[in-house]
Amino acid sequence: MTWVNDVVQGIFLGGAYALTAVGLSLMFGVMRLVNLAHGDLAVCGTYLATTVMAAFGVPLWVAMLIMVPLAFVLGMLLQVTLFDRALRTGPTAPLLVTFGLSVIIENLLLQVYSANTRGVLAGNLDVAVAHLGALVLPWLALLKLVLALVIIGGLSALLRLTAWGRRVRATSDDLAVARLQGIRVRPLFASVTGIAIAAAALAGTLNAVTTGVYPTLGALTLIFAFEAVIIGGLGSLWGTLLGGILLGVTQVVVSQVSVPYAILASQLLFLVVLAVRPYGLLGTPQAPQAPQPAG
Amino acid sequence: MTSRRTRPVVADPAPAGAATADGTRVAVTRWSRAATAATAVCVLVLAVLAALPYLAGTGVTQALVTLFLLVSMAALWNLLAGYAGMISFGQQAYLGIGAYVVWLVGKTGLTPFAGIAAGALACAVAAVPIFALLRPLTGGYFAVATWVVAESLFLYVTTALWLGGGTGVGLQQLSSMTPVVREAYTYWESLVLMAVIVAGVYLLVRSRFGLDSRAVHDEPAAAAAMGVEVGRTRWLAYMIAALGFGAVGGMLIVSTLYTDPASVFNVNYSADMLFMVVIGGIGTMEGPIIGAVIFFAVQQEFSAYGAWYLVAIGAVAIAVVLIAPGGLWGKAARRGWSLLPVGYRVRPRGVSPPGVPGRPGPPAPAGPAEAPGGGGGGD
């Protein structure tokens, strides 16, 4: 039974990874843009939420109601000012620009908030658990998994059923033809990045309730998100959920055997998937596509 | 790689002269008076630098060791990113392997200075399976996967007690040497290492390999169609970079006498390399050296005020990528400057260079005749 419980805890952890990764997956799927600042933007959102909490004395959920829309706007601004231009400049420019942005954010946070770990207070949400037979269900982890399901399900529905979704899919398939059909690509990309950054900031803040937050957390956040995206398969949102869950289960199960090797094991899982099935579990083998320039 | 293999399509560049398709005689040059002057200045500067331990205090030489290692790393990262088109954020993996191998060699009683060669070789060996894994990847995919490899090594070393775990390891043998002597040796060795790496990368980029890798970088599919062995070129660039980064990693532990996984496997090394190469001029020989000197100066001047200098350098690097992708040296190269030429300059025979009127012929390549690396000799 403890193994079953481990797997369940792993799925919860995977929900957290998937929630963090969904924005990265979305941006890659639509623009072929690997946003290396994704993790740092998530961490940025967390600091923003704690700052709002401290400044106005409001509880976490109110702070997040303020922070998530701000993150959406920040994402749109980044897309319009930096990413569009980087995508236009050439295939390596988005990598150089987003990595540079990641270093800027990390060091800004370091200067403004110091290197110390900050706790994110959430009442007793971080310790509250429900019991289901022998299974332990931590409310916070459950919340993250449900949010991951809701966001991925919601995004899939939006992409499939709405006019916005049709435009995004058309642009993702062929930017030039989409533009010929009169689709205005730049606002579309801005909205996609806005959603991606908002989701990342939401995920980062909820994760920080358990672990706390520190300026260099972004690097590891990005690596795990990237691994979830690749393991699941590029361009597949449900694949990202699967990838996150596989990472989470691997980590929790291995930690029962040896705690120091838990994170290493999930990195190795990624490398194995890369060696055996580089296009991911739910992906389809195809030549990698060049970044899509907008504007 | 310098062997003169015959290839079906791309003929070996003729050193002195060749004929174009319409029969006009052209001259192909690979050297210039500016290059001779630049080389002479380089040799002079190296000679002065070599004498420096007799002239200046250890404060100066220690700082210069940092600069030499920065220049070395920038040159190697540029070989990967600028010439072979492989952006890697995981070269710190080889810095770590190099450093730890030097430590292991030092434990056997051999001098760590000799261990640096062993560190470099170990990296080349480790790079074989790592590249086999990364080979199918391109772009951002490749960049983050290299980072994951470095992160995995970091996680492994923090748990490996035989490597000192997370607390790191110190080089005892060197600590027992007289500091002045040790620092002088460290200085000379890092100076030699930098000279070998920069000269090695330069000769490599001037060779057939350089032409191939620039072709691969610019247009892999077209390069493959022209008979360039794309995979082999990428492989060789990666191997040589691994060798070089291993030696630099070895120098890192020799110069600080200590290393720990959190610092040697730190992705910040990749950030520094990116900044130096991008600001100086990616895909040029001169750019990364200039970038490294600027980075070093900024670091020396402003690191006392915290990490703000990294914020500023990051912003400058982003601006360079978006507004002036050639970097500082790219601007200079556009005016026809070239101190370390790597390409092929083609001009009609009998027409003298700049300004001197000659007989009419096909127009000499204007402006950056050098820039695209000649694109193939004698065309």
Side-chain angles (χ1 to χ4, degrees):
Chain A
M1 200 57 192
T2 84
W3 287 101
V4 177
N5 193 40
D6 289 345
V7 171
V8 171
Q9 304 306 328
I11 292 174
F12 284 146
L13 182 60
Y17 286 146
L19 190 59
T20 319
V22 64
L24 193 69
S25 183
L26 183 69
M27 284 178 75
F28 190 89
V30 176
M31 294 177 268
R32 318 273 174 264
L33 175 77
V34 180
N35 178 13
L36 296 168
H38 187 81
D40 296 282
L41 286 166
V43 171
C44 213
T46 313
Y47 274 105
L48 196 59
T50 61
T51 307
V52 170
M53 283 169 78
F56 301 109
V58 292
L60 180 65
W61 66 272
V62 178
M64 286 173 73
L65 282 181
I66 299 169
M67 182 273 288
V68 170
L70 280 178
F72 179 84
V73 173
L74 175 69
M76 290 186 49
L77 285 177
L78 282 176
Q79 180 66 39
V80 173
T81 53
L82 292 182
F83 299 167
D84 274 343
R85 216 186 155 110
L87 285 166
R88 263 200 317 270
T89 305
T92 54
L95 287 174
L96 302 176
V97 167
T98 57
F99 193 71
L101 181 64
S102 133
V103 176
I104 291 178
I105 294 175
E106 191 180 309
N107 287 293
L108 267 181
L109 293 175
L110 199 65
Q111 287 302 117
V112 177
Y113 294 100
S114 89
N116 298 333
T117 303
R118 269 194 166 205
V120 178
L121 300 172
N124 59 354
L125 184 63
D126 51 331
V127 287
V129 290
H131 291 274
L132 187 76
L135 292 181
V136 182
L137 305 178
W139 280 115
L140 179 63
L142 201 60
L143 174 69
K144 284 190 266 188
L145 181 60
V146 170
L147 267 178
L149 286 169
V150 167
I151 289 180
I152 291 174
L155 271 176
S156 300
L158 277 179
L159 286 171
R160 230 208 280 243
L161 303 173
T162 65
W164 175 83
R166 276 193 299 280
R167 287 200 293 271
V168 169
R169 281 182 292 137
T171 313
S172 164
D173 284 348
D174 195 318
L175 185 121
V177 174
R179 189 170 278 147
L180 283 177
Q181 303 297 315
I183 295 177
R184 290 178 62 220
V185 172
R186 293 190 68 175
L188 198 68
F189 278 6
S191 65
V192 166
T193 305
I195 292 173
I197 305 307
L202 175 77
T205 309
L206 288 178
N207 289 340
V209 171
T210 357
T211 60
V213 64
Y214 46 93
T216 50
L217 181 62
L220 208 58
T221 309
L222 169 75
I223 286 186
F224 270 109
F226 183 81
E227 289 175 344
V229 174
I230 299 301
I231 292 174
L234 288 171
S236 159
L237 290 176
W238 292 107
T240 301
L241 180 66
L242 177 68
I245 287 176
L246 283 175
L247 281 175
V249 171
T250 308
Q251 195 177 324
V252 174
V253 169
V254 172
S255 72
Q256 295 303 311
V257 185
S258 158
V259 175
Y261 287 104
I263 294 181
L264 183 58
S266 41
Q267 312 283 340
L268 293 180
L269 171 74
F270 166 74
L271 293 176
V272 168
V273 170
L274 211 55
V276 179
R277 216 179 142 83
Y279 42 88
L281 298 177
L282 298 188
T284 42
Q286 59 179 345
Q289 287 160 302
Q292 299 229 50
Chain B
M1 206 46 211
T2 47
S3 68
R4 300 252 153 192
R5 286 169 293 118
T6 25
R7 298 202 184 193
V9 183
V10 186
D12 261 347
T20 53
D22 60 1
T24 321
R25 298 294 299 175
V26 293
V28 179
T29 53
R30 307 209 57 196
W31 200 247
S32 65
R33 234 173 291 166
T36 310
T39 314
V41 170
C42 280
V43 171
L44 199 69
V45 168
L46 281 179
V48 172
L49 285 176
L52 211 60
Y54 297 107
L55 309 171
T58 52
V60 176
T61 55
Q62 275 175 345
L64 282 175
V65 169
T66 311
L67 173 64
F68 298 161
L69 295 182
L70 286 175
V71 171
S72 307
M73 287 193 272
L76 290 167
W77 200 80
N78 183 46
L79 172 68
L80 281 179
Y83 288 108
M86 291 185 285
I87 294 195
S88 161
F89 296 133
Q91 293 313 109
Q92 61 272 21
Y94 299 106
L95 295 179
I97 295 175
Y100 275 94
V101 168
V102 167
W103 175 73
L104 286 172
V105 169
K107 276 217 311 188
T108 65
L110 287 166
T111 165
F113 291 113
I116 286 173
L121 282 177
C123 282
V125 172
V128 173
I130 293 176
F131 190 74
L133 183 71
L134 302 176
R135 194 181 50 80
L137 311 178
T138 52
Y141 221 178
F142 179 88
V144 186
T146 58
W147 187 358
V148 172
V149 169
E151 198 66 19
S152 305
L153 281 173
F154 160 72
L155 288 167
Y156 172 71
V157 174
T158 50
T159 59
L161 293 178
W162 67 285
L163 292 172
T167 48
V169 292
L171 272 183
Q172 264 94 27
Q173 307 76 14
L174 283 186
S175 312
S176 60
M177 275 172 84
T178 322
V180 176
V181 177
R182 187 191 71 227
E183 269 152 22
Y185 276 121
T186 306
Y187 175 85
W188 281 319
E189 187 151 19
S190 57
L191 180 64
V192 169
L193 183 65
M194 174 185 74
V196 167
I197 285 177
V198 172
V201 169
Y202 180 52
L203 292 177
L204 200 66
V205 171
R206 265 179 76 88
S207 73
R208 158 119 250 160
F209 163 84
L211 269 186
D212 285 358
S213 64
R214 275 171 287 157
V216 171
H217 174 254
D218 293 341
E219 203 60 70
M226 297 289 279
V228 175
E229 291 159 276
V230 175
R232 191 192 151 101
T233 306
R234 281 163 51 99
W235 181 85
L236 195 71
Y238 192 83
M239 286 302 140
I240 288 166
L243 204 68
F245 278 113
V248 173
M251 268 324 295
L252 279 176
I253 190 174
V254 167
S255 64
T256 55
L257 299 181
Y258 172 81
T259 200
D260 64 305
S263 55
V264 79
F265 288 109
N266 202 313
V267 71
N268 286 345
Y269 281 117
S270 287
D272 297 350
M273 293 177 216
L274 181 150
F275 293 155
M276 293 185 285
V277 171
V278 162
I279 292 174
I282 191 166
T284 65
M285 266 319 293
E286 301 86 344
I289 302 173
I290 296 168
V293 173
I294 293 174
F295 184 85
F296 172 76
V298 172
Q299 198 176 39
Q300 294 287 315
E301 202 62 34
F302 297 107
S303 62
Y305 305 103
W308 290 115
Y309 79 97
L310 280 172
V311 176
I313 290 182
V316 171
I318 290 180
V320 166
V321 172
L322 294 180
I323 297 164
L328 280 176
W329 194 259
K331 289 262 177 229
R334 199 168 298 172
R335 293 161 172 236
W337 289 19
S338 180
L339 297 180
L340 299 169
V342 295
Y344 298 83
R345 244 166 218 277
V346 182
R347 61 167 194 273
R349 183 156 282 185
V351 175
S352 318
V356 186
R359 74 180 165 87
E370 170 80 24
D379 55 3

